[in-house]
Amino acid sequence: MKIKVSEYLPLRDVVFNTLRQAILRGELAPGERLMELQLAERLGVSRTPIREAIRKLELEGLVVMIPRKGAEVAKISEKSLREVLEVRRALEELAVELACERMTEDDIKELKEACVAFQKVSNSNDLIAIAQKDEEFHDVIYKATDNSKLILLINNLREQMYRYRLEYIKDINKRQELVKEHENIVYVLSNKNVEESKIAVKNHIDNQEMTVSRNLKENDAI
């Protein structure tokens, strides 16, 4: 976790964004205590912007305050998982419906290339790279909708999805299922089949929800 100084943002905002990304990417794990002094030393800043950032992260639900313990990274809950994926499911189904109508041959070619790129990285141990290639695959579909408002909504949801995306791809077997699901999405979109495309993305997201939900229950049982 490194702070990236910006000439355009106040230090408190830079610290907030740094801690937020660290939580979303799993560098600060669910349940991990956030000690102001340690974080200040780690980032090379005073405790004041750390304290301000923690307050903002608490408002976002990424941090919780525990009596007699202080701040810690919020654990991933089934409720938050369900809420995020309910919204994503609706947006993805709309996206593929529009993409079926508007995708060009170049878009389909780019989607196939993104599918192959994900497959190539899927067996690696670099979860960040795998998540990035997964996002790039879906980005081709979003771009093909030619709907800037929809893309904005999806991008706003992207960071909330990141924690769940990383949790899902930890299992290498699930990555192979993802490859097959991506290939199926390419196939139905290439054939401009709206209903099959909606079913494909719904199954894609349903599988993610079931897997991450099961992982959460297993972790709670430990």
Side-chain angles (χ1 to χ4, degrees), residues 8-35:
Y8 304 106
L9 292 175
L11 180 61
R12 64 176 181 274
D13 292 338
V14 175
V15 170
F16 167 72
N17 289 334
T18 300
L19 293 179
R20 189 172 188 270
Q21 287 299 313
I23 292 172
L24 292 170
R25 293 179 179 273
E27 295 172 35
L28 293 171
E32 184 173 342
R33 291 187 65 188
L34 299 177
M35 310 293 288

Side-chain angles (χ1 to χ4, degrees), residues 101-144:
E101 299 172 3
R102 301 171 182 174
M103 284 191 92
T104 65
E105 289 301 318
D106 286 341
D107 291 330
I108 293 171
K109 179 182 177 182
E110 186 178 357
L111 188 62
K112 290 178 179 178
E113 290 172 350
C115 184
V116 172
F118 176 81
Q119 182 179 17
K120 286 181 178 178
V121 77
S122 64
N123 289 320
S124 75
N125 294 319
D126 189 342
L127 295 183
I128 302 298
I130 296 170
Q132 181 180 343
K133 292 302 178 184
D134 186 32
E135 287 182 340
E136 289 175 2
F137 173 82
H138 289 279
D139 280 343
V140 178
I141 299 172
Y142 306 150
K143 184 180 69 172

Side-chain angles (χ1 to χ4, degrees), residues 51-77:
R51 189 177 301 117
E52 292 175 350
I54 288 175
R55 289 197 193 103
K56 289 180 67 176
L57 291 166
E58 183 184 10
L59 292 175
E60 284 201 351
L62 292 176
V63 166
V64 293
M65 300 302 296
I66 307 297
R68 295 183 296 278
K69 287 183 64 177
E72 67 176 39
V73 178
K75 295 180 180 179
I76 300 173
S77 70

Side-chain angles (χ1 to χ4, degrees), residues 3 11 15 37-47 49-50:
I3 192 168
L11 180 61
V15 170
L37 182 59
Q38 292 178 358
L39 288 171
E41 292 176 348
R42 188 172 175 183
L43 295 179
V45 299
S46 71
R47 294 175 67 172
I50 298 292

